[in-house]
Amino acid sequence: MHSEEFMREAIRLSVENVESGKGGPFGAVIVRNSEIIARGANQVTSTNDPTAHAEVVAIREACKIIENFQLTGCEIYCSCEPCPMCFGAIYWARLDAIYFGNSKHDAAEIQFDDHFIYEEIEKPFSERKTFTRQILREEALTAFQKWASNEQKVEY
C-alpha cells in the first residue's frame, strides 16, 4: 500500500463514522512496515469520552497490538489535522510521521474549532477561561522525587 491508500482508509473511516452516527467526522490509521496495524474513528459521543478522538483510539489500539507504549517505527494517517490533544498524544507515542487530509481550518468551518485551546495554553493562569490555580506543590513534588530516585522505573 502507498500513502494515498492509507489516507483513503482514514477518510473512509471518517465517512463511515458520520453515516453510522457513532461520532464525529474523523478517522485515523496507524501504519507500520507498510501495513495498517490499527484503526480509529471518533467515539466521543457514542462512549461519552471526550478523549476518544480517532487518533487516540488508533494509538490505544496500536499500543495494545504491539504491546508497547511507544509507536516508534509507525506513522499515523488522520482524516483531519490533529487537535492539540491528539497532537500531544502522537508525540508522546513517538510516532515517526503524521499525514492528514482536512486542515484545522476546514474543521473550524464545520464548528470543530480548537484555536481557543492554543490561545488558552499561552495565557497566564489568571487569564484562562477555566479557573486554574497551583496548590500543594511541595506535597505533589514527593511523587516526582520518588520517581527521580527510583532505579526500577520504566522511562518514557
Side-chain angles (χ1 to χ4, degrees):
M1 288 184 108
H2 298 290
S3 296
E4 291 81 11
E5 293 174 70
F6 299 135
M7 182 57 71
R8 283 190 184 99
E9 178 62 5
I11 293 166
R12 185 193 70 74
L13 289 167
S14 69
V15 172
E16 180 181 88
N17 212 46
V18 173
E19 293 173 348
S20 72
K22 292 181 181 175
F26 305 99
V29 297
I30 295 182
V31 174
R32 181 171 73 169
N33 299 326
S34 298
E35 181 182 329
I36 295 174
I37 63 166
R39 291 170 170 80
N42 181 282
Q43 300 174 7
V44 171
T45 57
S46 61
T47 63
N48 294 318
D49 179 353
T51 68
H53 290 199
E55 297 89 338
V56 172
V57 171
I59 288 168
R60 289 173 180 163
E61 182 65 23
C63 288
K64 284 180 193 173
I65 288 168
I66 69 166
E67 297 179 338
N68 198 317
F69 55 85
Q70 292 188 351
L71 297 173
T72 305
C74 298
E75 303 170 334
I76 189 165
Y77 292 78
C78 314
S79 65
C80 185
E81 185 175 359
C83 75
M85 177 184 69
C86 293
F87 188 71
I90 290 165
Y91 269 75
W92 280 117
R94 310 290 198 277
L95 286 147
D96 291 356
I98 304 167
Y99 299 91
F100 66 91
N102 293 312
S103 72
K104 61 185 175 184
H105 304 292
D106 297 328
E109 289 181 13
I110 61 164
Q111 309 309 308
F112 287 97
D113 190 0
D114 54 20
H115 182 71
F116 76 97
I117 296 172
Y118 291 104
E119 291 176 340
E120 286 291 297
I121 290 170
E122 295 300 318
K123 289 180 182 178
F125 297 152
S126 62
E127 295 177 21
R128 291 182 180 171
K129 291 179 183 169
T130 300
F131 178 80
T132 306
R133 181 175 145 210
Q134 183 178 22
I135 61 174
L136 299 177
R137 179 177 178 265
E138 293 302 317
E139 289 182 37
L141 281 173
T142 302
F144 282 12
Q145 292 160 350
K146 288 183 180 289
W147 174 261
S149 64
N150 184 346
E151 293 180 18
Q152 296 176 334
K153 65 185 168 210
V154 176
E155 297 201 27
Y156 56 97

